[in-house]
Amino acid sequence: MPKIFRLDPHVAILVAAGEVVERPASVAKELMENSIDAGAGSVTIEIMAGAMTYIRVTDNGCGIAPDDVQTAFLRHATSKLTCAEGLDAINTLGFRGEALAAIAAVSRVELLTREPCAREGISISLEAGVVTDISPAGCPEGTTVIIRDLFFNTPARLRFTKSDRTESSGVASIVIRCALSHPEVSVRFIRDGKIDFHTPGDSRVDSCIYSLFGREFSAGLIKAEVSDDTLSVTGYVSTPAATRGNRSYQYFFVNGRPVRSITLQAALERAYNNLLPAGRFPACVLYITINPGNVDVNVHPAKTEVKFASDKQVFDSVYYATLGALDSNSGTPEHLTGSSDGLHSMQVMQSGKTYSSISSGSSEIRSGSSPDSRRLTPDAPLNPPVVSQEILHSSGIGNRPFHIIGETFNTYIVVESQNSVWFIDKHAAHERIHFDALRAEAYEAMSQVLITPVICRHDPEDISLLLENSELLDKLGFSVESFGDDAVAVRRIPTEINIGDTEPVLSEICAQLKNNEAAEAVRHDSILRIVACKAAIKAGRLSGIQETEALAARVLSGEISHCPHGRPVSYVITKSTLDRSFKRI
Ligand code: ADP
Ligand code: MG
């Protein structure tokens, strides 16, 4: 008896539909992209009750000819690609010919369309992919698509949809991205009968941003721009004073498409090194234009990930564009390119302030991804540091001898090495050590089983996030179970965490999970960062001189340069800087 059969076409299309249409937001995205591909100057997106019951997208684009209207709903039917060679030069948002077929397979669809030159239009209705009506219709130029009862025939998928609030914010976030990627298109978003936003469509990014996010957000942005023959970066980044508590205001576009990319995010944040306190993130709207041959957008039908031929080139361009914007904003030269060997110190006197470079060349070079530049930050006060203990010990690792001088402000370890004094942020360095240990391949989460489960209350959106990620959390030492609509029961937590911190830690985790919908590896790391931070706090004071020494050795050798949140772990003042300050040289 054969055991392998071809899937029934009806089942096959449902499976395929699942890849394209994950949530109402993916429907909104596909329909808007079709409108933009149709050359529309304005697009209206209207949703009701979280968009599961109703999504309407209206455009004034080129419309569809009556003869084509049924074909448009067939799988792999597209007007945007005619031959394999065309794949290398795609300049439309769609090209797979899958969206309308997929959406129609899992909903009730009505489409009205009229070409600008045609006297009358046509209307077509489908239910679960089957045409139920097709007839001539009077309608305005362009296309209107109405999607009702999404997933009505796929109950399993329906069960996975979230609250109306979550789904409608998912749609809003897609519409915002689409609007930002096409400032030449006027985008109107209507939620439950109320206009949420309306962009002018005047091709200006600044007016588009203003209409989406308002005056205060716009006022905190500075222009960023770099370009060469093969790549350009333009747009806006936030001033260090106008940062946010999460990454949800980081918008990146590659060749007109909204994308998520760790490379781009890292390059942006790297430029703010030393400028932002922990837990603050820059906002940005950045457009990267790159030769289409150097970027692969064809990774997944509905995903927004891209692959770059050269991550380094893209990283550098975004990093320098951001750095340039920050420099022009401060009015002071904030970075200088210096020699890369060993410690490096420079001073720039400007507007009465002294700036000095603080980074250790070795660590910058070792990270491999960062451009060779030195960020400057305001120098330490000229008063000598308050040192609480006399020289405790001296030590040597390889050819780097150092003395631990002591600890100051109960926060910084003070170390003398060759011609410099190092201030090491104990907590930041400790956090990095915990993070690296937790991240090590061989690491298995050590958890403590709680005798009585801790009941943590969160809002329903957070609860569903935690439960959706329970497998990942389990790997990291948390066992989280459903406990009603607005609570979870926590039975295990990592040993690094105090029981009393369980609820706030889960809140922090939720905030991270919201930021990092995309890759599991990113979510994994962001949770580890939280655990590492708690572990460093729990560990408290370093237990003795050996531990202090070991920590200093790792910092001075360049092995540890930044905490997992990107803050530097050390601040270095060279003897010559001190000598100059005291006018000795
Ligand atoms: P794709 O966008 O990949 O071509 P779709 O299934 O999304 O595939 O759409 C199929 C075809 O239907 C498109 O190639 C286009 O010709 C037509 N179409 C869809 N939406 C619109 C629209 N809003 N205006 C004009 N044509 C449209
Ligand atoms: Mg399409």
Side-chain angles (χ1 to χ4, degrees), residues 281-540:
F281 300 92
C284 74
V285 178
L286 285 177
Y287 302 87
I288 292 98
T289 311
I290 184 169
N291 179 338
N294 289 335
V295 58
D296 185 2
V297 292
N298 197 2
V299 184
H300 183 280
K303 289 269 157 57
T304 51
E305 272 127 48
V306 282
K307 277 197 203 138
F308 297 110
S310 165
D311 265 344
K312 166 113 173 65
Q313 185 199 16
V314 177
F315 182 102
D316 286 359
S317 305
V318 170
Y319 175 81
Y320 282 120
T322 309
L323 210 54
L326 293 171
D327 285 357
S328 64
N329 177 59
S330 71
T332 54
E334 286 203 341
H335 76 282
L336 295 171
T337 303
S339 68
S340 58
D341 51 341
L343 276 173
H344 186 84
S345 175
M346 293 188 214
Q347 279 201 335
V348 180
M349 290 296 290
Q350 177 129 3
S351 48
K353 274 186 192 161
T354 307
Y355 286 80
S356 160
S357 76
I358 59 163
S359 48
S360 127
S362 56
S363 60
E364 293 270 331
I365 302 305
R366 285 153 66 98
S367 73
S369 57
S370 78
D372 180 20
S373 69
R374 304 280 170 269
R375 166 152 307 285
L376 301 181
T377 57
D379 213 341
L382 290 180
N383 305 336
V386 181
V387 178
S388 59
Q389 297 164 49
E390 284 305 322
I391 293 180
L392 293 176
H393 208 78
S394 66
S395 178
I397 346 117
N399 56 2
R400 282 183 178 254
F402 65 85
H403 302 283
I404 306 274
I405 308 278
E407 188 179 316
T408 178
F409 304 126
N410 195 22
T411 308
Y412 306 106
I413 301 167
V414 185
V415 183
E416 183 190 323
S417 168
Q418 292 168 351
N419 281 325
S420 338
V421 180
W422 292 60
F423 294 86
I424 299 175
D425 182 324
K426 222 173 32 168
H427 175 75
H430 227 171
E431 213 178 313
R432 165 56 68 179
I433 289 173
H434 281 288
F435 180 74
D436 289 346
L438 290 168
R439 210 176 181 210
E441 234 168 75
Y443 172 79
E444 278 187 27
M446 295 275 285
S447 5
Q448 43 189 327
V449 177
L450 308 179
I451 301 168
T452 330
V454 176
I455 307 301
C456 298
R457 308 220 165 263
H458 298 277
D459 70 40
E461 201 181 320
D462 285 359
I463 296 292
S464 46
L465 261 181
L466 289 171
L467 296 175
E468 274 163 36
N469 285 281
S470 61
E471 233 173 85
L472 173 64
L473 288 167
D474 193 65
K475 273 193 228 154
L476 297 169
F478 295 90
S479 140
V480 172
E481 290 166 20
S482 167
F483 194 81
D485 272 355
D486 63 350
V488 283
V490 184
R491 298 188 185 279
R492 274 187 311 119
I493 56 172
T495 41
E496 289 83 2
I497 287 176
N498 286 322
I499 297 178
D501 284 338
T502 309
E503 191 163 290
V505 165
L506 288 185
S507 297
E508 279 183 51
I509 290 177
C510 287
Q512 286 302 325
L513 291 174
K514 270 185 221 155
N515 289 335
N516 297 312
E517 280 169 2
E520 159 139 354
V522 182
R523 283 182 284 149
H524 182 273
D525 272 8
S526 56
I527 298 177
L528 281 192
R529 270 194 284 277
I530 297 168
V531 177
C533 176
K534 301 299 167 208
I537 293 170
K538 190 172 172 181

Side-chain angles (χ1 to χ4, degrees), residues 30-31 33-34 37 80 93-100:
E30 294 294 340
L31 296 180
E33 290 190 350
N34 279 348
D37 282 346
K80 302 167 194 174
L93 296 164
F95 57 88
R96 296 165 198 275
E98 284 190 302
L100 288 185

Side-chain angles (χ1 to χ4, degrees), residues 102-149:
I103 295 167
V106 292
S107 67
R108 298 186 169 95
V109 176
E110 195 182 330
L111 181 146
L112 282 150
T113 186
R114 179 161 77 85
E115 291 180 294
C117 54
R119 292 213 356 253
E120 85 181 338
I122 186 157
S123 133
I124 181 170
S125 303
L126 299 95
E127 199 166 310
V130 178
V131 177
T132 54
D133 180 59
I134 177 160
S135 48
C139 57
E141 281 174 25
T143 304
T144 298
V145 188
I146 303 172
I147 310 297
R148 292 193 174 87
D149 307 327

